[in-house]
Amino acid sequence: MRYLCLICYDEHAALSRDEAETLAAEARDYVEELRRGGHYVASDALQSVRTATTLRTGNGRLTTTDGPFAETKEQLGGFILIEARDLNDAIRLAAKIPPARLGCVEVRPVKEQGCASQDGAV
């Protein structure tokens, strides 16, 4: 089963250049570990939250706002899509994502196309 690991952290966290480079190297190494273990599907980092655009559609109109919608301390900084046996396996893998030390990782199962979720949502 596929799980999306949403990596959230404070992008303004005070890291030295060396610390940031070390963290990036650890993240690249972990992606390689996931590949070797057959768990890796896709991943990428995101540009700064300052580059985000939030859009809403309603009443036949499109409105856009610069930046993220939610005002939070932690922002979505990237993702890793993994293959795991079950939620416990996904949590075990997600717990090793290096940038998680700066914030959190939200682990969510990917809904297969054409399948209704357990809560009835499509």
Side-chain angles (χ1 to χ4, degrees), residues 4-114:
L4 183 62
C5 303
L6 299 169
I7 304 163
C8 300
Y9 55 89
D10 181 355
E11 69 179 32
H12 303 294
L15 293 179
S16 71
R17 182 179 175 153
D18 286 345
E19 290 171 324
E21 288 175 3
T22 298
L23 186 63
E26 288 176 12
R28 287 189 300 273
D29 291 346
Y30 188 59
V31 164
E32 287 306 314
E33 184 179 326
L34 289 171
R35 274 192 178 104
R36 286 190 303 273
H39 298 287
Y40 182 82
V41 177
S43 65
D44 231 324
L46 300 176
Q47 291 187 19
S48 170
V49 70
R50 293 184 311 268
T51 67
T53 300
T54 298
L55 65 93
R56 292 187 179 277
T57 58
N59 298 326
R61 293 183 40 199
L62 170 66
T63 57
T64 62
T65 307
D66 290 341
F69 173 71
E71 292 295 325
T72 63
K73 179 180 176 188
E74 296 172 343
Q75 299 84 27
L76 180 60
F79 71 92
I80 301 178
L81 183 60
I82 60 172
E83 282 283 344
R85 287 186 308 276
D86 54 29
L87 180 58
N88 288 332
D89 192 33
I91 290 169
R92 178 185 63 79
L93 295 166
K96 297 177 185 177
I97 297 172
R101 294 191 305 260
L102 302 178
C104 67
V105 176
E106 179 181 338
V107 178
R108 294 180 64 181
V110 173
K111 183 169 56 169
E112 299 299 324
Q113 291 294 343

